[in-house]
Amino acid sequence: MPTSPLRKDAARNWERIVAVARELVDEGTPLQLNDIARRVQMGVGTVYRHFPTAEALLETLATPTLEALVAHGEGALADDDPGRALAGFLTRTIEAQVTDAALPPVAAAPTDALPRTTELKEAMWSIGSQLLGRAQEAEVVRADLTSADLVPLMCGVAFAATVHGGPDSRVETARRYLTTLLEGLYVH
Amino acid sequence: MPTSPLRKDAARNWERIVAVARELVDEGTPLQLNDIARRVQMGVGTVYRHFPTAEALLETLATPTLEALVAHGEGALADDDPGRALAGFLTRTIEAQVTDAALPPVAAAPTDALPRTTELKEAMWSIGSQLLGRAQEAEVVRADLTSADLVPLMCGVAFAATVHGGPDSRVETARRYLTTLLEGLYVH
Amino acid sequence: MPTSPLRKDAARNWERIVAVARELVDEGTPLQLNDIARRVQMGVGTVYRHFPTAEALLETLATPTLEALVAHGEGALADDDPGRALAGFLTRTIEAQVTDAALPPVAAAPTDALPRTTELKEAMWSIGSQLLGRAQEAEVVRADLTSADLVPLMCGVAFAATVHGGPDSRVETARRYLTTLLEGLYVH
Amino acid sequence: MPTSPLRKDAARNWERIVAVARELVDEGTPLQLNDIARRVQMGVGTVYRHFPTAEALLETLATPTLEALVAHGEGALADDDPGRALAGFLTRTIEAQVTDAALPPVAAAPTDALPRTTELKEAMWSIGSQLLGRAQEAEVVRADLTSADLVPLMCGVAFAATVHGGPDSRVETARRYLTTLLEGLYVH
DNA sequence: CATGAATGAGCCTTCATTCAT
DNA sequence: AATGAATGAAGGCTCATTCAT
């Protein structure tokens, strides 16, 4: 939902824009604010007021997914099996990347359009960092891995699944790749 | 070098175009034929005559790298240690992807502009396939990996290294990621 | 006038574009949207917004003429002398083709850019068809003529007048040719 | 064949160019000298040497047809039935226009690229003029028709047949239209 | 707040013609 | 004679962004 409370009609517009953008992203159409304005039958200005750039809109789409990931991650921090906790977190992250087409570009981008996105990405980073630290302390994960590697590796796995082929088996493929990678990350 | 022998002056132009395109690719500038024409001080038509599309030019840049990889791969086929052979091949491939900015898009593209590119990509695929087969027969590599996974995985590793950060330590990072992945791919 | 109501400034632009296009068509210059944009001192985008293709613009120019023809034709349907009604309709049509340089290409085109054009062309066809039917029933016109022949024949007469020579006596020439043709079409 | 005697190889080139151009014209492809050069596997320069402009090439294609028409017309001048002579000449002309796609543009063009074309068009004009004169003297054709009308009318009939529809029944349609027109031209 | 017209840089591509080889 | 590389004007079209209404 919108960051700040909006008038009822404005809120309705916001929702419509987001809904249409979601459809476009899902079908692989590049987001263009003009295009969206036409589809939702609003003036471009209105769309720009809500979302100053296409990136902002894209990040808005990715936000709920990121929030869910963070929520899951916070749960994982409570898990007393550090190996399982990290693996679960990474698995969820990969599934999200492959399932939500808005996520990969947001995850890979070095800078963000929305502060909220930065917040969430930092939360993800922090959670990953803690989970990794615990797993390494427990000596179930290789010591040479740093928390700065987690995001790139997840992006890499998702990208690999994308290169693999059609979008049909993408989730499955991504899971397979992650399993293999974890095999390499974990100590035996 | 040009595919078919060219007149001396045409060859000189070809070289200049390729040289400038190389610079642009290396500095991350997207290839645009008009832009290149301006920079090399030629008519657009000249550039278009040599390279009908930006993809063709990009693939031309990637060709020598691909050829070197194929050459290396053919050598690897003669190695009698199947595990080492595959690992060496994949390592070289990753290094190439990270070193030559023209390679990643070409490697990830589902279709090619130049027949030569298709040839080379198929050769790569075939070599990888054989090396993987041997390693699996020797039971040094997990059986559930297929040759269709090699290219995506290599693209994924390269992409991960790109996401990681600045281009400085990219080679190093990529190597680290590959090592980890191999750890997961190989049987212990 | 514009199909849908426009803002005042947009309407002014629309008018200017149409006016300039009219001049160009009249002097035989091929319509090019870029060229028009330059002449009316507007951004290309503005012209493209109003008229997505040169054909659309040309059809817009032809529309009033077509509307007048249809109006006349509907009047002719009320005439109780079927021979005179048909002859009058065809005469008007020829005069229009020769007078309005936007018409011939629109009339001869197998497909239309604007729905309005299709509507009008179908109306013309329908009117011609009815007038012809009545004239044939009254046995004043040869039976072997079909309504599918009317448009081609009118285009042919107009074209003949164009080939004949300079634009000066074109109307007169066209009328003469039509008279002769009617002489052949009508029963004596 | 070529106007002036050529060296054997040059003659062969000439023939190949003409042959390919004929194919293109027949399939409705616009003539472009570069395009032709590629298809006949010659340098553009060679094609330009033989045919300085696309019009010259087009007229070269039309020449044999025009020559045949002139030949027929000269025969018609010997016919002692002036009505039949004119009708036959016009019929042949129409058939040629509809059969040979190179002819209509050449016939309708106000100026020619090749002197030979001008010669032939003037011969056609002269023959038509004589045949018309005789038919008018014999009072089988309306007196208000002038020899300057013949070419435009023939072009108009051919054009009408083109507008009518697909190229399948074009000859037939053109014949029907000519018959009707003649009905109007001739005295009853 | 909403609208949507206007902008115009800028990319892509074609093609007739010239001229060095 | 033949070649074909080079030219570059020119046309087509898109799209992110601004701003008057």
CSV table of all heavy atoms in Angstrom, one decimal, chain D residues 43-64:
chain,number,residue,atom,x,y,z
D,43,GLY,N,29.1,-5.4,-59.3
D,43,GLY,CA,29.3,-4.1,-58.5
D,43,GLY,C,28.2,-3.2,-59.0
D,43,GLY,O,27.7,-3.2,-60.1
D,44,VAL,N,27.9,-2.3,-58.0
D,44,VAL,CA,26.9,-1.2,-58.4
D,44,VAL,C,27.3,-0.5,-59.6
D,44,VAL,O,26.5,-0.1,-60.5
D,44,VAL,CB,26.7,-0.2,-57.3
D,44,VAL,CG1,25.2,0.1,-57.0
D,44,VAL,CG2,27.5,-0.5,-56.0
D,45,GLY,N,28.6,-0.2,-59.6
D,45,GLY,CA,29.2,0.6,-60.7
D,45,GLY,C,28.8,0.0,-62.1
D,45,GLY,O,28.5,0.7,-63.0
D,46,THR,N,28.9,-1.3,-62.2
D,46,THR,CA,28.6,-1.9,-63.4
D,46,THR,C,27.2,-1.7,-63.8
D,46,THR,O,26.9,-1.4,-65.0
D,46,THR,CB,28.9,-3.4,-63.3
D,46,THR,OG1,30.2,-3.6,-62.7
D,46,THR,CG2,28.8,-4.1,-64.6
D,47,VAL,N,26.3,-1.9,-62.9
D,47,VAL,CA,24.9,-1.7,-63.2
D,47,VAL,C,24.6,-0.2,-63.6
D,47,VAL,O,23.9,0.0,-64.6
D,47,VAL,CB,24.0,-2.0,-61.9
D,47,VAL,CG1,22.5,-1.8,-62.2
D,47,VAL,CG2,24.2,-3.5,-61.6
D,48,TYR,N,25.3,0.7,-62.9
D,48,TYR,CA,25.1,2.1,-63.2
D,48,TYR,C,25.6,2.4,-64.6
D,48,TYR,O,25.1,3.3,-65.3
D,48,TYR,CB,25.8,3.0,-62.2
D,48,TYR,CG,24.9,3.4,-61.1
D,48,TYR,CD1,24.6,2.6,-60.0
D,48,TYR,CD2,24.2,4.6,-61.1
D,48,TYR,CE1,23.7,2.9,-59.0
D,48,TYR,CE2,23.3,5.0,-60.1
D,48,TYR,CZ,23.1,4.2,-59.1
D,48,TYR,OH,22.2,4.6,-58.1
D,49,ARG,N,26.7,1.7,-65.0
D,49,ARG,CA,27.3,2.0,-66.3
D,49,ARG,C,26.3,1.6,-67.4
D,49,ARG,O,26.0,2.3,-68.3
D,49,ARG,CB,28.5,1.1,-66.5
D,49,ARG,CG,29.0,1.0,-67.9
D,49,ARG,CD,30.3,0.2,-68.0
D,49,ARG,NE,31.3,0.8,-67.1
D,49,ARG,CZ,32.0,1.9,-67.4
D,49,ARG,NH1,31.8,2.5,-68.6
D,49,ARG,NH2,32.9,2.4,-66.5
D,50,HIS,N,25.6,0.5,-67.1
D,50,HIS,CA,24.6,0.1,-68.1
D,50,HIS,C,23.3,0.9,-68.1
D,50,HIS,O,22.7,1.2,-69.1
D,50,HIS,CB,24.3,-1.4,-67.9
D,50,HIS,CG,25.3,-2.4,-68.4
D,50,HIS,ND1,25.7,-2.5,-69.7
D,50,HIS,CD2,26.2,-3.2,-67.7
D,50,HIS,CE1,26.6,-3.4,-69.8
D,50,HIS,NE2,27.0,-3.8,-68.6
D,51,PHE,N,22.9,1.2,-66.8
D,51,PHE,CA,21.6,1.9,-66.7
D,51,PHE,C,21.8,3.0,-65.7
D,51,PHE,O,21.9,2.8,-64.5
D,51,PHE,CB,20.5,1.0,-66.2
D,51,PHE,CG,20.3,-0.2,-67.1
D,51,PHE,CD1,20.9,-1.4,-66.8
D,51,PHE,CD2,19.6,-0.1,-68.3
D,51,PHE,CE1,20.8,-2.5,-67.7
D,51,PHE,CE2,19.4,-1.1,-69.2
D,51,PHE,CZ,20.0,-2.3,-68.9
D,52,PRO,N,21.9,4.2,-66.2
D,52,PRO,CA,22.3,5.4,-65.3
D,52,PRO,C,21.2,5.6,-64.2
D,52,PRO,O,21.5,6.2,-63.2
D,52,PRO,CB,22.4,6.6,-66.2
D,52,PRO,CG,21.7,6.1,-67.5
D,52,PRO,CD,21.8,4.7,-67.6
D,53,THR,N,20.0,5.2,-64.5
D,53,THR,CA,18.9,5.4,-63.4
D,53,THR,C,18.0,4.3,-63.5
D,53,THR,O,17.9,3.5,-64.4
D,53,THR,CB,18.1,6.7,-63.7
D,53,THR,OG1,17.4,6.5,-65.0
D,53,THR,CG2,18.9,8.0,-63.8
D,54,ALA,N,17.2,4.1,-62.4
D,54,ALA,CA,16.2,3.1,-62.4
D,54,ALA,C,15.2,3.2,-63.5
D,54,ALA,O,14.7,2.3,-64.1
D,54,ALA,CB,15.5,3.1,-61.0
D,55,GLU,N,14.9,4.5,-63.8
D,55,GLU,CA,13.9,4.7,-64.9
D,55,GLU,C,14.4,4.2,-66.2
D,55,GLU,O,13.7,3.6,-67.0
D,55,GLU,CB,13.7,6.2,-65.1
D,55,GLU,CG,12.8,6.8,-64.0
D,55,GLU,CD,13.6,6.9,-62.6
D,55,GLU,OE1,14.8,7.2,-62.6
D,55,GLU,OE2,13.0,6.5,-61.6
D,56,ALA,N,15.7,4.4,-66.5
D,56,ALA,CA,16.3,3.9,-67.7
D,56,ALA,C,16.1,2.4,-67.8
D,56,ALA,O,15.8,1.8,-68.8
D,56,ALA,CB,17.8,4.3,-67.8
D,57,LEU,N,16.4,1.7,-66.7
D,57,LEU,CA,16.2,0.3,-66.7
D,57,LEU,C,14.8,-0.1,-66.9
D,57,LEU,O,14.5,-1.0,-67.7
D,57,LEU,CB,16.7,-0.3,-65.3
D,57,LEU,CG,16.6,-1.8,-65.1
D,57,LEU,CD1,17.1,-2.6,-66.3
D,57,LEU,CD2,17.4,-2.1,-63.8
D,58,LEU,N,13.9,0.6,-66.2
D,58,LEU,CA,12.5,0.3,-66.4
D,58,LEU,C,12.0,0.5,-67.8
D,58,LEU,O,11.3,-0.4,-68.4
D,58,LEU,CB,11.7,1.2,-65.5
D,58,LEU,CG,10.2,0.8,-65.3
D,58,LEU,CD1,10.1,-0.5,-64.5
D,58,LEU,CD2,9.4,1.9,-64.6
D,59,GLU,N,12.5,1.5,-68.4
D,59,GLU,CA,12.1,1.8,-69.8
D,59,GLU,C,12.7,0.7,-70.7
D,59,GLU,O,12.1,0.3,-71.7
D,59,GLU,CB,12.6,3.2,-70.2
D,59,GLU,CG,11.8,4.3,-69.5
D,59,GLU,CD,12.3,5.7,-69.9
D,59,GLU,OE1,13.0,5.8,-70.9
D,59,GLU,OE2,11.9,6.6,-69.2
D,60,THR,N,13.9,0.2,-70.4
D,60,THR,CA,14.5,-0.8,-71.2
D,60,THR,C,13.6,-2.1,-71.1
D,60,THR,O,13.4,-2.8,-72.1
D,60,THR,CB,15.9,-1.2,-70.6
D,60,THR,OG1,16.7,0.0,-70.7
D,60,THR,CG2,16.5,-2.3,-71.4
D,61,LEU,N,13.0,-2.3,-69.9
D,61,LEU,CA,12.1,-3.5,-69.8
D,61,LEU,C,10.9,-3.3,-70.7
D,61,LEU,O,10.4,-4.2,-71.3
D,61,LEU,CB,11.7,-3.7,-68.4
D,61,LEU,CG,12.8,-4.1,-67.4
D,61,LEU,CD1,12.2,-4.2,-66.0
D,61,LEU,CD2,13.4,-5.4,-67.8
D,62,ALA,N,10.4,-2.1,-70.7
D,62,ALA,CA,9.2,-1.8,-71.4
D,62,ALA,C,9.4,-1.8,-72.9
D,62,ALA,O,8.4,-1.9,-73.7
D,62,ALA,CB,8.6,-0.5,-70.9
D,63,THR,N,10.6,-1.5,-73.3
D,63,THR,CA,10.9,-1.3,-74.8
D,63,THR,C,10.3,-2.4,-75.7
D,63,THR,O,9.6,-2.1,-76.6
D,63,THR,CB,12.4,-1.1,-75.0
D,63,THR,OG1,12.8,0.1,-74.3
D,63,THR,CG2,12.7,-1.0,-76.5
D,64,PRO,N,10.6,-3.7,-75.4
D,64,PRO,CA,10.1,-4.7,-76.3
D,64,PRO,C,8.6,-4.7,-76.4
D,64,PRO,O,8.0,-4.9,-77.5
D,64,PRO,CB,10.6,-6.1,-75.7
D,64,PRO,CG,11.7,-5.7,-74.7
D,64,PRO,CD,11.4,-4.3,-74.3
